Amino acid sequence: MVDIAKNLKPSARGELEITDVNLTYLNKGNLNVELLGRGYAWLDTGTPDSLLDASNYIATIERRQGLKIGCIEEVAFRMDYIDSKQFEKIIDQSPENEYKKYLKIILREHKNRGRDNNGF
């Protein structure tokens, strides 16, 4: 990817575009394309306004659904990459904040259900 990016010309916005990298891979036959289904969103963050829009979108979804988007610890735990002891250790080592509270909720729900990670 670095070699491809070195040969790109900036767009009208003056930026190197990930879309141009994708097109290069596609033209070389090295890109598999899948449509994003329901529940996925592609958010442009190339300008301060679009970054703010994306941030507000994520904040709204998290607030309304009570879930964290992009919580790698939760994903690792739910997919059995880490067990409950490892998850608990991560929580214990985390600073006191809303994110830690969220992780504690995930662990508590897991323990209350008495199931392994995928039993959520």
Side-chain angles (χ1 to χ4, degrees), residues 4-117:
I4 292 171
K6 285 180 183 178
N7 294 312
L8 293 179
K9 303 264 188 272
S11 68
R13 296 188 309 176
E15 298 177 0
L16 298 179
E17 302 290 343
I18 190 66
T19 302
D20 292 332
V21 173
N22 291 340
L23 284 173
T24 302
Y25 281 120
L26 184 63
N27 291 334
K28 290 181 174 185
N30 294 329
L31 180 68
N32 295 321
V33 178
E34 292 185 31
L35 294 176
L36 297 178
R38 185 180 175 129
Y40 289 90
W42 179 265
L43 306 172
D44 179 35
T45 57
T47 66
D49 285 343
S50 63
L51 181 59
L52 178 59
D53 289 344
S55 296
N56 287 333
Y57 175 82
I58 297 299
T60 299
I61 297 297
E62 287 187 351
R63 205 171 26 255
R64 290 185 181 181
Q65 294 184 358
L67 303 170
K68 295 288 183 201
I69 295 175
C71 179
I72 60 171
E73 298 88 353
E74 178 183 9
V75 171
F77 183 52
R78 290 185 187 267
M79 294 185 72
D80 289 326
Y81 295 131
I82 60 174
D83 62 23
S84 57
K85 288 184 190 226
Q86 292 167 307
F87 190 57
E88 205 161 352
K89 183 176 179 183
I90 290 168
I91 294 169
D92 291 342
Q93 294 174 345
S94 298
E96 292 297 331
N97 56 34
E98 292 302 311
Y99 194 78
K100 182 174 186 171
K101 288 178 189 175
Y102 177 75
L103 295 177
K104 285 180 176 180
I105 290 168
I106 299 300
L107 183 62
R108 185 170 51 248
E109 288 174 354
H110 169 75
K111 287 181 176 181
N112 287 342
R113 288 194 172 100
R115 300 180 179 158
D116 286 333
N117 299 347

